[in-house]
Amino acid sequence: MAFLLLAGTAGVRAQQCDVPQIGAQVFVEPGQTPEDIDGFFRLLHDNGMKVARIRMFGAHMYRGGEWDFSLYDEAFRAADKYGVRLFATLFPVTDELNDVGGFKFPRSKAHLREIDDYITAVVSHFRQYESLWTWVLQNEPGSGGTRVAMTDLAREVYDRWLADFPPEERGEGYLKADFTQEKFLTYYTTWYLNHIAQLVERLDPQRGRHINPHQILGTLPDYDFPAYSKFLTSVGASLHLSWHFGMFSQREYPLGVSLMSDIIRHNALGNPFWITELQGGNVTASGNVPYCPTAAHTAQYLWTAIASGAEGVIFWSLNQRAAVMEAGEWGLLDFLRRPSDRMLEAAKVASVLQRHGEEFRELKPAPAPVTLLYNIASLRIQRRNAETLASGEEGRQASACMKSLAAAYEAVSAWGVTPEVADMATFDWDDAAGRTAVIPHMVALPSEFRPRIESFVRNGGKLIVTGLSGFYDEDMRCLFMNGFPLKSCFGAEVSEFKVAGEYFTLGEELPAHLWRGILVPASGETMMTDGGDVAAVRNRYGRGEVVWVPSPIELGGYHRDMAPLTAFYGRECRDAIDAAPASFRTPEPDVLMRTMRKEGVLTTVIVNKRPESAAIRLRTGRYGVPRVIYGDASVKGAQVTVGADRCAVVVWSRCNNNLRQNSRKKFHPHSTLPPLAP
């Protein structure tokens, strides 16, 4: 059954803001009084928070066979009263004692009818309120699994899907891995979300439609964002430090916020993107990691998300739920319903955004000419291989591909330039000249991308390929056997991979992990040798070039020493770094800078995660007149000093051409970066 996509979203009030908004989830539950609920919205208003989210618990509204909306009416009336716009999350009847996140799929066709009845009743009733801004179709879609439980509904959808998209015949030749179940999980997620979207669109066509994927570094194979763009008006994400940041240390949390924001912004495909849930407070019984953000950390995450292009950030949550699972956790308020230090700091950020509204209007993330690429086939294959593991080496885990991408992201970001992150399926391969693309340890290179890769390089793009990228095709067949199809483009072939130790040094410089790839050059020039073998090549192809290091250098750097990996990316991405409107003059580990710009103005958000203050020398090109509008920072010339574990926001105005020319004459970026040892 091919689902019917919505025809369009004309007239919908898209969730786009002139100035980024800050808000919080108001947790509504039985036992609260009208005065309680009014007080929550008054606190939002008094602290400059103009947006909120409400979970529309069906279990609270449908009791004894009758609908009773009175508790939630109080919340919507309070939002109307205080001018707060609402994201209303559909949450059909479920086990309110033990189901915190909600079910992902209907249990049966009969259950789907019950869900439809719930949506019809709730949307029809609450569409009357002016404060209602958008419907969140499902809380945190995506199971992170590999298959769908075959209920009567799932079986019907599956059979029709197979009829429309039959698997290829095996035919003669080598076997193909069967990813039918994983592909159906992706399809079924899309089918269900689209089913909800169409019903909501019929009932309330003027309101927005939104979802908030979660655990996105692990659940990306569940999602079909191009399909979602047909029926959503905005895309968000849940970013909970205690649940979702397992591959990052607390020092790296702002980097994780930045990376996940970039992934969602790219996959919003032009629609507004939000952080729909950001951890607001302490956890005790829940979460994988016990953590309570400090006020300073709260500001770091807010400014990082804003500089990543988020239209707004909604905390989970304003008030803690009072009973059962997660009781007394996650809140911005304390138990006495007073604003915590976290909320007061968020209110300061909201105030800065409002005071400087004209400067933030139309301000967008500065595009970076470096893009890190991933593909869903790699994530599926890596997960499939990890299912049978008995050992725990990093490179053999399901997370290895995305952790490699995260390490490459950190290495480029250490130069003050945050790279773009894109799915290979939606990356603009035609925009080649002057661009650098990186494929960091993506174990599959599906056949559909190979001509695009060749065209990208031939037309002037630079491609950096690392790790076991291209070990498989999309059917899990080894590409390095029987003639490597990208030999001409990459300039070499892989002879074999050898286990060289959990961590080892490649050549004289680069830490690597587990496998050492051995190359046999064709047209490629040897860049680096290791033990007499060729370990890296550079190949000119058309107007572009490929740099190929077939060993997991990102995983080596991630766990051992990031400095050599940072230097490697500083060399190989030098032209792209120099082309950015702002960057660091030398690499700055544990410092993240995100840059936004519009005509005549450059705005930098700098997060210092060091335990001491950091004096950072910037290159800002034609922008040389600074003003600090937020944070513990001082600026002298092009040097910004930021306090320990603090962040700062600096606005730079244009300077004259002579100053720009003089500044560039003094900067010699290659002087501290020796070439890789042959």
Side-chain angles (χ1 to χ4, degrees):
M1 176 171 59
F3 53 78
L4 175 66
L5 293 178
L6 297 177
T9 56
V12 172
R13 292 179 286 176
Q15 292 72 59
Q16 192 163 8
C17 307
D18 288 340
V19 175
Q21 299 295 309
I22 297 173
Q25 171 91 21
V26 176
F27 197 91
V28 178
E29 60 183 329
Q32 293 172 346
T33 67
E35 292 75 22
D36 291 334
I37 294 172
D38 184 88
F40 294 144
F41 282 92
R42 176 178 51 78
L43 281 165
L44 287 174
H45 173 271
D46 292 349
N47 286 276
M49 298 185 177
K50 299 180 179 180
V51 63
R53 185 169 172 235
I54 294 181
R55 180 176 290 183
M56 311 296 288
F57 279 94
H60 297 169
M61 302 179 193
Y62 191 70
R63 294 179 179 270
E66 299 290 335
W67 290 102
D68 180 0
F69 300 116
S70 57
L71 179 65
Y72 287 81
D73 282 328
E74 294 292 345
F76 278 76
R77 282 194 287 266
D80 280 355
K81 174 181 175 181
Y82 291 107
V84 176
R85 293 185 288 185
L86 293 178
F87 281 61
T89 303
L90 296 170
F91 204 81
V93 177
T94 186
D95 178 1
E96 61 182 322
L97 296 180
N98 301 302
D99 188 353
V100 175
F103 55 82
K104 303 309 175 187
F105 300 112
R107 295 185 295 272
S108 63
K109 288 191 281 188
H111 187 210
L112 181 63
R113 290 192 291 271
E114 294 175 8
I115 294 167
D116 289 350
D117 289 344
Y118 158 84
I119 293 171
T120 300
V122 169
V123 174
S124 297
H125 179 81
F126 289 98
R127 66 189 178 191
Q128 66 181 294
Y129 289 100
E130 179 63 26
S131 54
L132 177 60
W133 196 16
T134 193
W135 292 102
V136 182
L137 303 180
Q138 183 185 33
N139 179 62
E140 297 184 341
S143 67
T146 58
R147 60 185 60 243
V148 174
M150 280 300 170
T151 65
D152 59 344
L153 175 65
R155 172 59 65 182
E156 180 178 300
V157 176
Y158 178 76
D159 289 343
R160 293 179 179 175
W161 172 68
L162 277 184
D164 287 343
F165 304 100
E168 295 181 10
E169 295 294 329
R170 183 172 72 85
E172 300 300 322
Y174 296 104
L175 295 175
K176 297 180 179 180
D178 184 2
F179 290 99
T180 302
Q181 293 302 317
E182 289 90 339
K183 292 177 182 178
F184 178 64
L185 173 62
T186 305
Y187 178 88
Y188 196 40
T189 301
T190 306
W191 179 89
Y192 182 47
L193 291 173
N194 182 71
H195 175 88
I196 298 170
Q198 291 198 60
L199 180 54
V200 170
E201 195 270 346
R202 289 196 298 271
L203 295 167
D204 192 7
Q206 299 305 310
R207 268 33 182 263
R209 293 174 294 277
H210 180 92
I211 57 170
N212 59 311
H214 66 129
Q215 294 274 18
I216 58 174
L217 298 184
T219 58
L220 275 171
D222 286 14
Y223 305 123
D224 184 351
F225 289 103
Y228 301 164
S229 68
K230 305 296 193 301
F231 56 80
L232 297 178
T233 58
S234 62
V235 179
S238 290
L239 300 187
H240 291 310
L241 300 315
S242 287
W243 279 122
H244 304 153
F245 281 56
M247 71 170 57
F248 302 103
S249 67
Q250 289 188 17
R251 171 182 56 81
E252 297 167 320
Y253 280 178
L255 186 84
V257 170
S258 181
L259 171 59
M260 295 186 206
S261 296
D262 281 340
I263 291 173
I264 291 297
R265 175 168 54 88
H266 172 80
N267 282 305
L269 299 173
N271 279 323
F273 115 81
W274 286 71
I275 305 302
T276 324
E277 294 186 24
L278 178 67
Q279 183 165 347
N282 189 59
V283 297
T284 50
S286 62
N288 294 322
V289 176
Y291 176 65
C292 183
T294 67
H297 294 170
T298 298
Q300 292 167 16
Y301 308 146
L302 281 174
W303 282 117
T304 299
I306 290 165
S308 302
E311 299 291 333
V313 178
I314 302 174
F315 285 97
W316 180 275
S317 58
L318 176 69
N319 55 307
Q320 304 92 336
R321 71 176 72 189
V324 298
M325 296 187 71
E326 294 190 347
E329 300 185 65
W330 301 98
L332 284 174
L333 301 178
D334 67 14
F335 294 156
L336 305 181
R337 296 184 180 174
R338 301 174 304 186
S340 65
D341 57 347
R342 304 176 300 282
M343 186 168 182
L344 294 176
E345 196 64 32
K348 290 180 184 177
V349 174
S351 176
V352 171
L353 290 169
Q354 290 304 311
R355 286 200 315 272
H356 297 272
E358 189 58 39
E359 289 172 310
F360 281 95
R361 191 168 288 112
E362 299 182 1
L363 199 62
K364 301 296 181 185
V370 181
T371 303
L372 310 182
L373 299 173
Y374 66 89
N375 64 73
I376 298 304
S378 290
L379 307 186
R380 284 180 176 149
I381 289 173
Q382 189 69 20
R383 181 189 286 173
R384 172 76 62 87
N385 284 338
E387 288 175 353
T388 59
L389 285 183
S391 59
E393 292 88 359
E394 188 74 63
R396 287 153 54 84
Q397 299 302 310
S399 60
C401 297
M402 293 309 290
K403 190 166 286 188
S404 298
L405 186 143
Y409 189 89
E410 181 176 355
V412 177
S413 296
W415 292 93
V417 176
T418 47
E420 305 284 345
V421 182
D423 189 330
M424 293 174 75
T426 52
F427 176 62
D428 185 2
W429 293 98
D430 294 330
D431 183 16
R435 295 198 60 82
T436 298
V438 182
I439 304 178
H441 190 60
M442 292 297 140
V443 296
L445 286 181
S447 55
E448 65 176 299
F449 301 128
R450 290 174 221 151
R452 302 185 203 179
I453 288 171
E454 289 180 320
S455 175
F456 175 80
V457 179
R458 187 185 304 114
N459 292 326
K462 180 171 183 176
L463 186 67
I464 301 171
V465 185
T466 68
L468 272 64
S469 293
F471 193 93
Y472 302 103
D473 67 4
E474 66 272 25
D475 296 312
M476 214 170 169
R477 295 176 295 198
C478 182
L479 277 180
F480 297 128
M481 301 172 64
N482 305 307
F484 180 47
L486 288 168
K487 175 181 177 180
S488 296
C489 182
F490 285 18
E493 293 181 284
V494 172
S495 167
E496 63 177 336
F497 292 95
K498 292 183 177 181
V499 173
E502 187 167 8
Y503 298 101
F504 62 97
T505 299
L506 194 65
E508 298 179 4
E509 181 178 355
L510 279 172
H513 170 64
L514 207 56
W515 300 286
R516 182 169 66 94
I518 301 171
L519 291 172
V520 178
S523 55
E525 170 192 350
T526 298
M527 286 178 61
M528 180 168 50
T529 59
D530 187 81
D533 296 318
V534 177
V537 299
R538 184 188 307 277
N539 188 52
R540 308 289 177 179
Y541 185 75
R543 298 196 300 272
E545 68 173 338
V546 175
V547 170
W548 191 9
V549 188
S551 298
I553 56 176
E554 286 83 12
L555 292 177
Y558 189 92
H559 286 283
R560 283 299 170 99
D561 184 0
M562 284 294 296
L565 185 68
T566 297
F568 169 80
Y569 275 105
R571 278 189 298 271
E572 297 304 330
C573 299
R574 175 51 48 193
D575 291 343
I577 291 169
D578 287 349
S583 62
F584 299 150
R585 289 179 178 262
T586 56
E588 298 287 352
D590 298 329
V591 178
L592 175 70
M593 182 170 75
R594 296 223 50 146
T595 302
M596 300 174 283
R597 73 175 180 185
K598 64 179 181 179
E599 183 62 31
V601 176
L602 201 68
T603 300
T604 55
V605 171
I606 304 174
V607 181
N608 173 27
K609 293 303 293 181
R610 297 174 188 169
E612 67 281 337
S613 65
I616 304 151
R617 294 186 302 136
L618 302 185
R619 183 181 58 83
T620 57
R622 59 182 177 173
Y623 301 93
V625 183
R627 285 182 299 118
V628 178
I629 64 170
Y630 174 90
D632 175 14
S634 61
V635 184
K636 184 176 182 180
Q639 179 171 293
V640 180
T641 301
V642 183
D645 201 17
R646 292 294 188 270
C647 69
V649 182
V650 184
V651 177
W652 306 80
S653 302
R654 280 184 177 169
C655 57
N656 62 56
N657 288 334
N658 289 335
L659 178 59
R660 181 172 76 248
Q661 292 168 357
N662 291 338
S663 174
R664 287 186 173 177
K665 286 178 181 178
K666 296 176 183 177
F667 178 45
H668 302 287
H670 298 281
S671 59
T672 59
L673 295 173
L676 287 173

